[in-house]
Amino acid sequence: MGLFKKLPGVIIAEFDSTGSLLHAAEKMSEAGYKKYDCHSPFPIHGMDKAMKLKRSPMGYIIGTMGLIGMSGMVGLTYWTNTYGYSMVISGKPYFSWQAFIPVIFAITILLSAFGAFFGMLALNKLPQLFNPIFNSDAFAKVTNDSFFVSVESHDPMYDEAKVKSFLESIGGKNVEVIKGE
Amino acid sequence: MKFDTNTYKITDSGKIGTVALILGVVFLAISVLGFMQDSAHFYSNYLTAYIFWLSVALGGMFITMLHHITNATWSTVIRRITENMAATMPVFVLLFIPIVFGLHEMYHWSHAEVMDPNSPSYDALIHEKQGYLNETFFFIRAFFYLAVWTIFSFLLRKKSVEQDSTGADYKLAYKKLAAPGLILFALTTTFASFDWMMSLDAHWFSTIFGVYFFSGIFLSGLTFLFVFLMYLRSQNVLGDVVTVEHYQDIGKFIFAFIIFWSYMAGSQYFLIWYANLPEENYWFLYRWGNSWEIVSMVLIYGHFVFPFLALITRAAKRNLKFMVFISLWIFAMRFVDFYWIIMPTGLNEDGSRVVFDFTMYDIAPIIGIGGIFFWFFWKQLTANAIIPVKDPSLNESMKFQNT
């Protein structure tokens, strides 16, 4: 949860095209930075690869939640119809699994959706109400026509002067240091 | 096979078309032998094979129209192939002729005495349906379906080939074909499945049957497309144009429609199982016994459980060799599906229903019609470039990547 943690300082640098941002991302990951991010107004193909991001574990979270939902519902319908409230309905066996396919399916999907929604929030460390990066006026352009790389002060390689000169060396403009809180 | 990488044309198509044609003719001749032994059995087999290959062609038509109507760009590189799958429709017009002759052998409702109240074999329930199930209307409808499919597949291919020389943006022209085409496609495939498969057992009815048929059409088209593209790849054709990204997308479609097919098949079964009315449930009951249970089992596990589990992961969908195997597997399961629907309705000469007995005559029409289908498909495909070379979205399609 990002609600209560101490907010890190950030150094941002502006880039003027998707190409230069991709290039910068490659240089950043090569240099060994970990707590850095790339910001753009739209998704850029190949960015995950350039930043050397691992594939998201979301699929496994969703799959596990789905299996929990499915087995839970199979168990519930089996127990209620065989032991809890065993009744003969339209001459069919107690546990007529066909009749429960819709509910098993629905709960599987429901728990998968929960897994997807809450898993996404947790992996993104949301909800986080504020980030010091928004203190920068220049950064407002990121939703319109500009590209940014940001480096957080949590990064093990963080050193203000070194990061500044590195960002400039890979083509960053208007490098700006934003204090944490 | 010789391939020109500048024009994207197959300049020397090799012997494959001829081989397919010879195979087709030989195996159709073998099934004629089957006709002489047991004509009713032959017609059921022939109808199975006809609908099996027809669903491949219709699948190509649907993928093409879906591509146009959704403004898709990833599928531009495979569009020419799906267009040509659809453009084999004249073959199916021709191959419909044996079904015309076999009408009385296959369709119980077409017997005059069934509709005659004074006859001992009068069937009041079928008589009620006479307004729809009569020979004249049956042939008018069949003519209409085949005409619609032939015209639309012809126009789709014609426009696309025209673009190869003009290079103009035909987006709107394609859409004007695809929009009414998809509506007509939905109606014609639904009623064709009612006419040609459901009415084999004229007492039985299932409103979802058309959608069930449609879900299978899409799967047939996709799996054929996948295997054919991989064949081209093995011949060093289009290897750098149709990349693993495109294959993964086709794989996603296959996975989604395996689930959709099962959903439709399950829904059809589920409502009938739940209500348990004798007028509906006998259709499934007959297939769950009388030697047909093995086919039902193969369908459940082979057409749903196995491909579903196999296709879940991303890695599986990007493993081309594995996907070829799965595509061939599902392609074979498409045959089992139609076999399961059509064959148990056949009647022996003494009026009893046929039991499961798989012989080479069950396979012969599949290879026969398949050979002729492939020969025509290959002939049409090699006549032009095998990708739409001047489509404005081609470049974007070639660069397509899954995120």
Side-chain angles (χ1 to χ4, degrees):
Chain A
M1 287 284 180
L3 263 184
F4 306 109
K5 79 170 185 213
K6 206 164 166 257
L7 299 173
V10 192
I11 300 180
I12 59 171
E14 192 178 346
F15 291 83
D16 46 12
S17 68
T18 49
S20 60
L21 189 68
L22 268 175
H23 179 71
E26 273 165 13
K27 294 277 181 202
M28 293 294 290
S29 57
E30 269 167 33
Y33 287 98
K34 295 276 180 277
K35 296 274 179 192
Y36 74 101
D37 209 349
C38 299
H39 308 264
S40 86
F42 46 80
I44 300 171
H45 275 308
M47 185 49 96
D48 291 16
K49 216 173 168 184
M51 289 176 72
K52 295 209 175 75
L53 293 180
K54 275 180 279 181
R55 277 188 62 75
S56 157
M58 279 305 287
Y60 295 99
I61 298 177
I62 297 169
T64 316
M65 289 295 282
L67 281 178
I68 291 172
M70 192 178 91
S71 45
M73 223 43 221
V74 170
L76 183 67
T77 50
Y78 179 75
W79 181 81
T80 47
N81 285 280
T82 317
Y83 302 106
Y85 306 89
S86 46
M87 276 188 280
V88 174
I89 297 165
S90 64
K92 296 188 166 79
Y94 283 146
F95 181 60
S96 300
W97 57 270
Q98 292 95 328
F100 306 113
I101 292 286
V103 70
I104 293 167
F105 176 73
I107 298 295
T108 309
I109 300 302
L110 181 72
L111 288 206
S112 307
F114 282 165
F117 182 71
F118 293 109
M120 182 278 294
L121 287 183
L123 291 180
N124 284 321
K125 302 192 176 67
L126 291 173
Q128 180 179 357
L129 301 182
F130 186 73
N131 191 314
I133 202 167
F134 297 130
N135 285 334
S136 161
D137 291 333
F139 192 70
K141 282 200 291 180
V142 76
T143 57
N144 184 20
D145 61 353
S146 198
F147 307 90
F148 288 89
V149 168
S150 65
V151 185
E152 291 186 4
S153 59
H154 286 336
D155 194 282
M157 285 172 64
Y158 188 83
D159 178 294
E160 207 174 290
K162 270 191 196 161
V163 173
K164 263 174 99 168
S165 63
F166 182 74
L167 283 173
E168 269 159 8
S169 76
I170 59 174
K173 284 176 225 148
N174 308 330
V175 179
E176 192 179 336
V177 181
I178 305 157
K179 288 270 175 298
E181 287 169 28
Chain B
M1 190 193 301
K2 285 204 187 83
F3 181 61
D4 186 344
T5 45
N6 293 317
T7 58
Y8 290 101
K9 267 187 190 175
I10 292 174
T11 45
D12 178 10
S13 53
K15 290 200 184 83
I16 172 166
T18 325
V19 170
L21 182 64
I22 293 170
L23 272 179
V25 172
V26 167
F27 276 87
L28 277 184
I30 292 175
S31 45
V32 170
L33 286 180
F35 172 72
M36 288 166 187
Q37 287 178 13
D38 183 351
S39 59
H41 209 107
F42 160 79
Y43 280 122
S44 295
N45 283 328
Y46 185 83
L47 185 69
T48 311
Y50 180 83
I51 292 179
F52 174 75
W53 286 105
L54 179 71
S55 70
V56 174
L58 287 174
M61 190 173 157
F62 182 73
I63 298 167
T64 314
M65 293 197 292
L66 192 68
H67 165 86
H68 292 319
I69 205 78
T70 55
N71 263 344
T73 48
W74 74 269
S75 45
T76 306
V77 289
I78 57 170
R79 200 186 76 207
R80 184 54 57 76
I81 293 163
T82 58
E83 272 161 9
N84 282 297
M85 278 157 69
T88 53
M89 222 34 98
V91 170
F92 292 99
V93 175
L94 205 66
L95 290 172
F96 193 74
I97 294 168
I99 297 175
V100 175
F101 287 108
L103 192 73
H104 291 284
E105 299 251 23
M106 281 188 288
Y107 298 96
H108 184 58
W109 54 261
S110 67
H111 298 188
E113 69 269 18
V114 174
M115 304 290 188
D116 177 12
N118 301 319
S119 152
S121 49
Y122 172 65
D123 193 323
L125 287 174
I126 296 178
H127 192 208
E128 284 289 314
K129 300 180 181 176
Q130 196 178 20
Y132 186 82
L133 291 180
N134 61 71
E135 279 181 53
T136 322
F137 195 25
F138 180 89
F139 287 129
I140 292 172
R141 286 195 308 265
F143 177 79
F144 178 71
Y145 308 145
L146 289 167
V148 165
W149 298 334
T150 311
I151 291 167
F152 273 90
S153 58
F154 175 76
L155 289 178
L156 283 167
R157 180 173 180 274
K158 185 168 161 260
K159 269 264 166 280
S160 179
V161 170
E162 203 178 292
Q163 193 181 36
D164 278 3
S165 49
T166 63
D169 191 350
Y170 279 9
K171 255 191 170 145
L172 197 64
Y174 289 140
K175 276 201 183 131
K176 279 180 181 163
L177 277 176
L182 279 170
I183 296 170
L184 281 171
F185 179 87
L187 291 172
T188 47
T189 50
T190 302
F191 283 98
S193 72
F194 287 176
D195 284 5
W196 298 346
M197 289 190 288
M198 202 165 87
S199 84
L200 285 167
D201 201 333
H203 285 160
W204 188 71
F205 49 91
S206 164
T207 45
I208 209 169
F209 201 79
V211 191
Y212 176 69
F213 179 51
F214 158 74
S215 62
I217 288 176
F218 200 22
L219 274 179
S220 299
L222 288 168
T223 45
F224 179 84
L225 175 68
F226 198 103
V227 176
F228 182 71
L229 282 170
M230 283 303 290
Y231 166 71
L232 290 185
R233 194 184 177 87
S234 73
Q235 305 290 314
N236 292 321
V237 177
L238 291 185
D240 52 346
V241 176
V242 184
T243 63
V244 68
E245 307 291 337
H246 300 98
Y247 285 109
Q248 193 197 343
D249 260 25
I250 303 174
K252 286 183 213 163
F253 255 148
I254 294 176
F255 180 52
F257 273 77
I258 278 292
I259 300 172
F260 186 68
W261 178 89
S262 321
Y263 189 46
M264 289 306 119
S267 302
Q268 178 169 281
Y269 171 77
F270 180 63
L271 290 196
I272 290 170
W273 171 86
Y274 221 140
N276 211 5
L277 299 175
E279 69 201 70
E280 293 171 341
N281 67 10
Y282 75 93
W283 198 86
F284 281 106
L285 273 176
Y286 189 77
R287 284 163 180 76
W288 199 247
N290 311 297
S291 77
W292 290 103
E293 59 271 43
I294 176 78
V295 186
S296 302
M297 284 299 225
V298 167
L299 206 54
I300 293 170
Y301 289 100
H303 204 313
F304 169 55
V305 178
F306 170 61
F308 173 76
L309 294 176
L311 286 171
I312 284 180
T313 62
R314 173 188 159 99
K317 290 194 274 281
R318 290 175 80 89
N319 183 340
L320 296 182
K321 275 185 187 145
F322 181 70
M323 282 302 292
V324 169
F325 165 70
I326 287 285
S327 296
L328 285 171
W329 175 272
I330 296 170
F331 200 58
M333 283 302 140
R334 297 301 315 131
F335 167 68
V336 177
D337 187 19
F338 292 129
Y339 192 82
W340 178 79
I341 294 169
I342 294 169
M343 292 308 286
T345 58
L347 297 177
N348 293 319
E349 271 168 30
D350 57 355
S352 63
R353 288 202 167 193
V354 296
V355 291
F356 178 53
D357 177 23
F358 199 78
T359 61
M360 74 164 184
Y361 295 124
D362 294 82
I363 281 293
I366 286 284
I367 302 174
I369 296 180
I372 290 171
F373 164 85
F374 193 85
W375 162 72
F376 196 74
F377 165 70
W378 186 248
K379 200 164 102 82
Q380 298 247 72
L381 183 72
T382 48
N384 301 101
I386 55 172
I387 56 172
V389 276
K390 288 204 176 152
D391 192 297
S393 60
L394 183 66
N395 196 25
E396 199 182 337
S397 178
M398 282 160 90
K399 280 193 210 149
F400 166 73
Q401 281 195 339
N402 281 292
T403 44

